[in-house]
Amino acid sequence: VKNDGPFVLMVYQYGFKSLHKRIFFNAWRKLKYLEVVFDAESHIKNLSLKKVVLNFLLLAFLVAGSGYIVALSGIAIGDQTNLSESFVGTLLNAVSTFLPELIVSIAAVRRKPSL
């Protein structure tokens, strides 16, 4: 059995540093946003119950399938790096819940305040 643990950690560290430079250092520069007006009421009136239910089922299937793939990936990562499945699962859960919050926070900081 080949031990690729150090290589995986080096690739992870490189990716994290690259992401850090790209996101965190550019997060504070000001951007100009195109104002988009969205009429939610007319959009909601044009939706049928059948379309809403089909979209929900499709998205629920995608979420369930993605969760299954993440679980299998976590098991494979744990096996290849000799880390426990609970540690890998905790790490994947932490990253997957942290990234959306990070993106929303950065978008809020970069957004031009409307007074």
Side-chain angles (χ1 to χ4, degrees):
V1 175
K2 191 172 165 183
N3 188 1
D4 292 332
F7 175 73
V8 171
L9 289 176
M10 287 179 7
V11 169
Y12 174 78
Q13 184 179 13
Y14 172 77
F16 186 77
K17 284 185 178 183
S18 299
L19 185 66
H20 182 268
K21 287 179 185 177
R22 177 172 281 212
I23 290 178
F24 291 105
F25 292 134
N26 292 327
W28 299 101
R29 69 184 165 103
K30 294 183 180 180
L31 295 178
K32 295 179 183 177
Y33 284 91
L34 174 65
E35 292 292 326
V36 177
V37 178
F38 181 68
D39 187 7
E41 288 182 18
S42 66
H43 179 70
I44 291 172
K45 289 179 184 177
N46 293 333
L47 292 176
S48 67
L49 179 61
K50 181 179 178 181
K51 186 174 182 179
V52 170
V53 169
L54 287 175
N55 282 337
F56 173 79
L57 291 175
L58 173 67
L59 294 174
F61 177 75
L62 287 174
V63 168
S66 299
Y68 182 73
I69 291 170
V70 168
L72 291 178
S73 300
I75 292 170
I77 290 170
D79 289 343
Q80 291 181 3
T81 60
N82 294 326
L83 297 172
S84 71
E85 291 177 6
S86 61
F87 175 77
V88 174
T90 302
L91 182 65
L92 288 175
N93 186 29
V95 169
S96 65
T97 56
F98 168 73
L99 285 178
E101 293 176 11
L102 174 66
I103 292 168
V104 168
S105 299
I106 290 172
V109 168
R110 294 171 83 176
R111 186 170 183 197
K112 182 179 177 182
S114 58
L115 298 174

